[in-house]
Each structure stands twice: as structure tokens, then as C-alpha cells.
Amino acid sequence: MLFLPVILLAGVNAVQWHTLTEPRHHVDAVEASFNEDSRAAFLGWAAHHKKHYETAEERERRFQVWLSNRDYARDHNSRKRSYQLGMTSFADQTREEHQRHKGWVNQADRRQRLGTGLVNTTLSVPHSVDWREMGAVTPAKNQASCGSCWTFSVTGAVEGINAIRTGKLVSLSEQQLVDCDGHDAGCNGGLMDFGFDYILKNSGIDTENDYPYRAEQGYCNARKEGRHVVTIDGYEDVPHNNEQALMRAVARQPVSIAISAGDRDFQLYVGGIFDGPCSTELNHGVLLVGYGSEHGKDFWIVKNSWGTAWGVDNGYIRLARNIADPRGQCGVAMQPSYPVKKSSNPEPDFSGLLSSYLYTSHLAF
């Protein structure tokens, strides 16, 4: 992912130098060549990200948006900030379009949290933690145009604690939450605590493999909803606006968090420690999988649900940690929660598979 943006962001200085020093007819030729190179770069980017535009007019409009985002990224990177921008898979979208097409945490319900908030604030914690290295995190997934970010945060947290307790990393079903969790709004947003509450009341959740993601809301599959492959015993809220308590929580397991992710810099993020502009209007559910420090700058490790072609490390962002605002960078410390698991998972139920096998065998004879 990172190779292409490096090519796209190179070469502007030569054009600027010609513009300042060459006669007008040479400038025109250079600018024409630059425009051709830009269009070729755009088409290469579009092919790389499998973009398909219905009409030539739509392709041209996307090209102009892409150019604007490229110029914005170039200007940002020239300032030598602690994070870098580039031509992510969303570089043909305006900020407003990107906000509309990504998922949101349910704003109306965000303060109706249900957990108990029993984080032990006296525990000592290691200097750094990364649950990916300990086999408790599945690869970054892609919510696509469905506003289901909250489900990916929920499944990621449950996947994490299940792997820690059982030693088995099982990818769990976001689609089940989209279809079956009646308290939340599926592709129109939700709240992580309500997702945990659904799994608790349903006595478990099915696997991604059995109930795969479709990026749209449908009818709840009762048979699959009844497959309680992974269970939890409760869920707890981390004390809000307290990064030290959040560190202690994530030192034990991956933690669901809500952040503000609607700004242009977030859309085009490709690396570094993000300390850029973002509000604390929570609108996106993600998963906190660790923390660390680099060159004296502290950061959180955050798993997103925008696919592996965004961010760093195939779908992640590193958010600045221990900032002056107690709410944290982009509101990272405002609404954290996590599932509790103490019991074993149920034994696998093969009765449905056996019945299906016997039925098909009978038909064969």
C-alpha cells in the first residue's frame, strides 16, 4: 500500500522550478506533461485499489478530488509533522463523502453505557503492549459502505479475550450483530456496550466463517444466531477521560473505544503517530490493541475497520498518547469498554450438520 503513494507524492519540486525559470512555452509543455503524469498516476492508483467509475464524467470528477487530496497530502508532508498522509483507498472522496460512507457510533445512545467500570487502577503495567504479537487480534477487516463500525469493535474485543482465555483466535460474525442485535441500528450505527449486551443475552456469537459479512442489513438467521461458538460473562466500562486507567485495561486485553475519525487527515493517514486535528465528537468505533513509545513520543495502537489498504501495518493507526486533554487524542479515552470472559465456550454442536448430512445422503439414495 505504501509503495504507490511514495511515487504519487514525488516530483513536484521539478515542476515548480521550471515554472519559475523557464520561458512560457516551456512552462506550458512542462505543465501538460505534469497533467498527463498526474492522470496516469491516478489511473494506476484506481487500478491498484480496484476502483470502477460508471461514466467518464464520474471518473473525471474523482480525478479532480484525487488531485486536491494529493496536493493536501503533499503540503502536509512538507511540514515534517509526526505523521504522514498519502493516497489511501479513500483519496478519491471528499471529506464530506468519506464521513457519509463510513460507520458511526450511535450518538443518541453513547452515554447510556451499561458496564460496571471495575478496572483495577492500582495494577502496574508494562512499558508497551501489542496484542497482535500475542495472537489475540485478527487481521483488519473492511466494513465497506455499511455504518457497522461498532460491530467490528465488538467482535475484535471478544475475539481478543477469547484468544487470551482459550488460546484459540476465532474470527467472529459482525453480520450477526448487524442483523440480530435489535437494540442497535445495524448499518446505521450502534454502541459497543449494547453489542456486548446482545452477545451476553444471546449466550454467545457465531463465527465469521459460518455467518459471513455482507455489508448490508438483512433478516436475522435464527439457526446461525443459535450457534453459541464464543461466549462472554459480562462487560465493563473503563473510567472515562483517564488514559492511565485505559492503559491498565489494554494491558489485560484489547479494548473497544470510540473516536472522532471524520477529519481529512484521518482519511489520508498512512503512517507515523497521529497528533493532528480531530474533534472529540465521537463517531467511529474501533479497537485498541496496545500502546508504546517511539523517539520519546507515546502512542496507542488502534485497529480500524477500513480494510488493509488504509493506515499503517495493514489497517492500523497510531494515535498520540498522554496528551494534555484528558479525553485523549480524538477522544480515545472518552468511552472505552471491554468484555469479561471467565467461563469456557460450549462444546461444538454438530447436530445440525449431522441432520443435513443424513438428509442429503437420503436424497442421494
Side-chain angles (χ1 to χ4, degrees):
M1 151 124 195
L2 295 182
F3 176 72
L4 185 63
V6 171
I7 294 176
L8 300 180
L9 296 180
V12 67
N13 290 337
V15 174
Q16 291 174 335
W17 183 84
H18 279 292
T19 303
L20 291 173
T21 60
E22 292 293 307
R24 182 68 249 171
H25 64 279
H26 288 303
V27 171
D28 292 341
V30 169
E31 288 180 347
S33 175
F34 176 69
N35 289 335
E36 289 177 8
D37 290 344
S38 297
R39 193 173 295 278
F42 168 71
L43 294 176
W45 171 90
H48 177 75
H49 291 288
K50 297 180 173 58
K51 298 284 184 173
H52 301 287
Y53 305 114
E54 295 293 331
T55 64
E57 290 77 11
E58 175 66 9
R59 183 172 62 249
E60 181 63 24
R61 189 172 78 85
R62 293 300 167 192
F63 174 55
Q64 296 302 323
V65 173
W66 185 89
L67 284 176
S68 174
N69 282 329
R70 186 188 63 173
D71 291 344
Y72 182 84
R74 281 176 168 168
D75 180 68
H76 168 88
N77 292 341
S78 71
R79 301 174 189 274
K80 307 298 183 184
R81 297 286 301 274
S82 65
Y83 64 98
Q84 298 79 48
L85 305 183
M87 310 312 285
T88 70
S89 57
F90 307 120
D92 62 345
Q93 296 178 4
T94 66
R95 176 175 177 266
E96 292 73 23
E97 288 172 330
H98 183 67
Q99 286 179 321
R100 287 198 303 269
H101 289 137
K102 292 295 108 182
W104 312 117
V105 171
N106 190 318
Q107 294 266 0
D109 287 333
R110 71 183 187 186
R111 300 200 184 277
Q112 299 178 30
R113 302 169 69 200
L114 307 178
T116 57
L118 297 178
V119 174
N120 188 333
T121 57
T122 64
L123 289 175
S124 61
V125 296
H127 177 69
S128 63
V129 168
D130 189 341
W131 285 107
R132 295 174 297 180
E133 297 176 353
M134 293 175 274
V137 184
T138 58
K141 304 176 185 180
N142 195 339
Q143 68 185 77
S145 58
C146 170
S148 56
C149 59
W150 61 278
T151 70
F152 291 85
S153 179
V154 168
T155 59
V158 176
E159 289 165 353
I161 192 60
N162 181 65
I164 293 168
R165 294 288 181 260
T166 70
K168 297 179 181 179
L169 181 60
V170 181
S171 184
L172 300 176
S173 175
E174 292 81 25
Q175 193 63 46
Q176 180 176 340
L177 291 168
V178 170
D179 292 346
C180 305
D181 177 2
H183 200 117
D184 288 297
C187 286
N188 293 314
L191 193 69
M192 280 73 82
D193 274 11
F194 293 150
F196 295 141
D197 196 53
Y198 163 79
I199 296 173
L200 183 63
K201 291 177 178 176
N202 188 58
S203 301
I205 186 170
D206 198 3
T207 65
E208 183 92 51
N209 186 56
D210 188 56
Y211 202 156
Y213 186 65
R214 300 189 311 274
E216 61 182 4
Q217 190 158 2
Y219 292 105
C220 181
N221 187 312
R223 181 192 66 79
K224 296 181 179 183
E225 185 182 31
R227 289 197 71 220
H228 307 143
V229 179
V230 173
T231 60
I232 60 175
D233 297 293
Y235 50 97
E236 296 176 353
D237 293 335
V238 181
H240 72 284
N241 301 340
N242 186 333
E243 287 196 273
Q244 293 304 308
L246 186 54
M247 275 185 67
R248 292 183 176 92
V250 79
R252 300 188 305 177
Q253 65 189 90
V255 174
S256 289
I257 58 171
I259 59 173
S260 173
D263 289 285
R264 197 177 189 182
D265 286 24
F266 207 96
Q267 175 185 345
L268 301 176
Y269 169 84
V270 296
I273 300 174
F274 187 87
D275 61 358
C278 57
S279 74
T280 52
E281 285 298 313
L282 305 180
N283 55 27
H284 190 49
V286 289
L287 185 70
L288 188 57
V289 302
Y291 58 85
S293 301
E294 184 176 78
H295 306 305
K297 193 174 183 67
D298 299 332
F299 60 85
W300 298 108
I301 306 170
V302 179
K303 179 186 179 184
N304 203 352
S305 54
W306 293 352
T308 58
W310 174 89
V312 68
D313 297 336
N314 298 313
Y316 289 78
I317 186 170
R318 295 191 293 172
L319 293 179
R321 179 168 60 89
N322 290 331
I323 68 171
D325 189 335
R327 296 172 294 183
Q329 180 69 19
C330 302
V332 67
M334 293 176 66
Q335 193 171 296
S337 59
Y338 57 88
V340 175
K341 182 172 178 62
K342 299 176 182 177
S343 305
S344 300
N345 293 320
E347 290 296 321
D349 181 7
F350 298 111
S351 59
L353 294 175
L354 179 60
S355 298
S356 177
Y357 170 75
L358 292 174
Y359 176 71
T360 55
S361 298
H362 174 71
L363 290 180
F365 288 101

